[in-house]
Amino acid sequence: MISKQAFHTIRTILSTQTKRHSGTNHRPSTMLRPLFHTSAPKQQHHPQKIISSYFHTESDFHNAADHTLNTIQDTLDYYFEDNPHLDTPDIDYASGVLTISLTKGIWVMNKQTPNEQIWWSSPLSGPRRYEFDEDGGKKWIWSRYVDHKDSNDADKVGWKDTMHLGEALKKELVELYELEDGLEDLDDL
């Protein structure tokens, strides 16, 4: 909104310019109306968050997500160092994105700050979103499970052993390499 003083100053300048250029005494108010519309501003639509947040601050989310992704990176580094015959991985965590490149495929996990989620992409199970479950042992739980946990679908066998992020990754790695030793830390995620 423009102050009255600024409005009168601009009006005087435009009025002077109008008189100088046209030789007439037109009121410039019609020229000012489109520029300085005084009606209430349009209300912007801000979608509400569907998921209630466990985190009190954005920093809390980053700390929890970074801890989880760093734990996955460290666990897999040790797993493949202790078992070099399994694979030669390239595991990198940078800028909130964990990339796990194996000969059997590429997994990507990344932080989604606006949603306070970790997104997962797997060559075996496809894309997923995980949100923090403070009631479920403070683990990252599959959003689809959260959406359906009160329905009959929640008892599907495929969901019980993959509803948490660490469990899902562990299950896929054990399926591929048939070796569970060294992946125990994933159970806590």
Side-chain angles (χ1 to χ4, degrees):
M1 179 126 175
I2 189 168
S3 71
K4 282 185 178 182
Q5 182 179 7
F7 177 80
H8 289 293
T9 303
I10 293 170
R11 184 174 171 183
T12 303
I13 292 170
L14 290 174
S15 176
T16 305
Q17 288 177 349
T18 304
K19 287 179 186 175
R20 222 179 324 164
H21 294 292
S22 67
T24 63
N25 192 5
H26 295 296
R27 289 186 55 163
S29 60
T30 56
M31 295 186 326
L32 292 177
R33 251 185 234 130
L35 296 173
F36 303 106
H37 198 291
T38 58
S39 67
K42 288 184 180 179
Q43 297 238 348
Q44 293 183 0
H45 175 70
H46 297 287
Q48 290 183 335
K49 251 185 164 177
I50 296 171
I51 302 166
S52 63
S53 175
Y54 165 76
F55 304 106
H56 298 290
T57 65
E58 189 174 300
S59 179
D60 291 342
F61 163 74
H62 285 289
N63 289 337
D66 286 335
H67 170 74
T68 298
L69 297 173
N70 281 318
T71 299
I72 292 171
Q73 180 182 22
D74 292 344
T75 301
L76 296 184
D77 281 340
Y78 291 128
Y79 178 73
F80 287 108
E81 282 176 16
D82 292 344
N83 303 292
H85 62 282
L86 294 179
D87 207 332
T88 308
D90 181 16
I91 303 168
D92 181 53
Y93 181 49
S95 301
V97 179
L98 174 63
T99 306
I100 305 164
S101 297
L102 306 173
T103 56
K104 308 218 182 214
I106 298 173
W107 285 253
V108 178
M109 290 169 232
N110 63 299
K111 298 188 302 186
Q112 289 295 314
T113 304
N115 303 22
E116 294 182 344
Q117 296 176 335
I118 293 178
W119 287 8
W120 144 298
S121 176
S122 160
L124 302 179
S125 60
R128 293 183 177 189
R129 298 171 316 191
Y130 287 87
E131 56 194 71
F132 199 73
D133 182 18
E134 70 175 303
D135 298 327
K138 297 191 178 197
K139 296 181 177 184
W140 294 89
I141 190 168
W142 187 15
S143 297
R144 179 165 285 173
Y145 177 80
V146 172
D147 294 342
H148 298 327
K149 70 181 175 184
D150 295 328
S151 71
N152 293 333
D153 293 339
D155 293 330
K156 288 185 177 177
V157 176
W159 288 22
K160 285 190 175 187
D161 56 353
T162 62
M163 67 182 206
H164 291 105
L165 176 61
E167 295 168 350
L169 181 58
K170 181 177 178 179
K171 180 182 181 211
E172 291 190 6
L173 291 172
V174 170
E175 283 178 15
L176 292 173
Y177 298 107
E178 300 176 353
L179 181 64
E180 189 171 337
D181 291 340
L183 297 174
E184 295 81 15
D185 288 345
L186 297 178
D187 294 333
D188 298 329
L189 309 174

